[in-house]
């Protein structure tokens, strides 16, 4: 009689996706923008890392948002997430507690809703939704609306300081990028 082999029903898996990987330019002012996430864990418990930000040509980091979350399956299709969000960029670091839900809603909509609370009493929330259209077994179309032209301007006292320093008070930026999924 042969020994019984153990059942491998809780393997440790990993997943990573880079949603934005952009270079932006408008003459001398260039930027690099990223937005990605990844997890490692089982079907029931995962550790997530979500990161996004913009690196300026002068080395300054802007809009840096990094999340470190524990994820627990609460139903067949939804997970509860909780952890820390740190806004790490060239300004003072801001930390937030994060609590949210992520999963597959009816009609196969990917849904993510997260609430944040900071130590200074600030509250914020973020809602993301997407839908995958399977054109073939390997070709997937994911409808998404995104503005690729951005105008940033400075007003009031900030504009006065920028003018005195010889800086522009407003400019347009054009965006391009590639999504990588593995």
């Amino acid at each position: 009689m042969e020994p019984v082999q153990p059942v491998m029903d809780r393997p440790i898996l990993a997943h990573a996706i880079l949603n934005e990987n952009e270079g932006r330019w408008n003459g001398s002012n260039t930027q690099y923008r990223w937005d990605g996430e990844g997890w490692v864990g089982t079907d029931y418990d995962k550790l997530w890392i979500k990161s996004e930000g913009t690196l300026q040509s002068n080395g300054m980091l802007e809009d840096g948002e990094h999340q470190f979350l524990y994820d627990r399956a609460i139903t067949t299709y939804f997970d509860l997430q909780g952890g820390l969000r740190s806004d790490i960029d060239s300004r003072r670091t801001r930390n937030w507690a994060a609590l949210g839900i992520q999963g597959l809603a009816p009609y196969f909509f990917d849904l993510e809703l997260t609430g944040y609370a900071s130590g200074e009493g600030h509250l914020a929330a973020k809602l993301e939704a997407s839908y995958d259209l399977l054109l073939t077994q390997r070709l997937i179309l994911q409808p998404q609306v995104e503005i690729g032209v951005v105008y940033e301007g400075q007003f009031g006292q900030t504009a006065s300081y920028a003018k005195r320093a010889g800086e522009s008070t407003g400019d347009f930026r054009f965006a391009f990028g590639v999504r990588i999924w593995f």
Side-chain angles (χ1 to χ4, degrees), residues 37-171:
E37 61 188 29
W39 57 261
V40 62
T42 66
D43 289 337
Y44 300 101
D45 299 290
K46 296 177 181 77
L47 293 176
W48 279 83
I49 296 177
K50 300 178 182 183
S51 177
E52 66 179 277
T54 304
L55 183 63
Q56 302 290 339
S57 59
N58 62 4
M60 300 285 285
L61 181 61
E62 291 185 359
D63 302 325
E65 179 183 304
H66 315 283
Q67 297 182 57
F68 307 93
L69 305 169
Y70 168 73
D71 177 291
R72 175 71 179 170
I74 55 173
T75 70
T76 304
Y77 297 105
F78 282 96
D79 296 351
L80 185 64
Q81 295 181 332
L84 173 70
R85 169 183 146 185
S86 288
D87 295 344
I88 302 170
D89 51 28
S90 297
R91 289 167 279 186
R92 184 178 63 88
T93 299
R94 295 155 316 277
N95 292 317
W96 305 73
L99 182 64
I101 190 166
Q102 181 173 341
L104 191 62
Y107 301 104
F108 300 102
F109 282 92
D110 285 315
L111 182 67
E112 181 179 345
L113 176 63
T114 309
Y116 305 99
S118 74
E120 292 90 31
H122 297 104
L123 300 175
K126 185 177 194 179
L127 173 65
E128 293 182 20
S130 65
Y131 185 76
D132 293 343
L133 295 169
L134 296 147
L135 302 176
T136 68
Q137 290 291 336
R138 294 180 180 241
L139 184 59
I140 301 169
L141 176 65
Q142 188 178 65
Q144 182 177 5
V145 176
E146 186 172 356
I147 296 169
V149 179
V150 178
Y151 175 77
E152 292 182 5
Q154 299 173 346
F155 305 98
Q157 291 293 333
T158 305
S160 298
Y161 294 137
K163 283 179 186 177
R164 280 187 231 136
E167 297 176 2
S168 172
T169 59
D171 60 355

